[in-house]
Amino acid sequence: MFTPLPLQQWAEHTFKCSDLGDKRRTKRLTHVAAELAAHTGSSLASSCESNLAVVEGAYRFIGNEAVEPDAK
């Protein structure tokens, strides 16, 4: 994936206005998005380079019932 910004900055710029009800969720979203973009085509676990804490945080974010997929 080509972006003119480093991936973490790209993710922050892309998702900074996301309203997920808690700024920590937006921070997690940007981190997960940057990891997935850096490892396009890889599984979530591979994208997080098998760092179990990062993988667990990503799965908790995805499974969080307070996070709505259509949130803006």
Side-chain angles (χ1 to χ4, degrees):
M1 170 180 202
F2 172 77
T3 121
L5 297 172
L7 290 174
Q8 186 62 39
Q9 286 180 328
W10 163 82
E12 290 168 1
H13 176 75
T14 301
F15 299 109
K16 68 182 173 190
C17 294
S18 297
D19 183 10
L20 301 176
D22 188 318
K23 64 183 178 182
R24 292 171 295 178
R25 292 182 192 132
T26 302
K27 184 176 179 181
R28 176 71 66 185
L29 171 62
T30 60
H31 185 75
V32 170
E35 290 296 330
L36 289 171
H39 302 91
T40 302
S42 296
S43 69
L44 183 58
S46 294
S47 295
C48 296
E49 298 177 349
S50 297
N51 180 325
L52 295 180
V54 176
V55 173
E56 181 178 346
Y59 279 118
R60 282 195 344 245
F61 171 77
I62 292 167
N64 188 330
E65 291 181 10
V67 176
E68 296 291 329
D70 59 350
K72 301 207 182 326

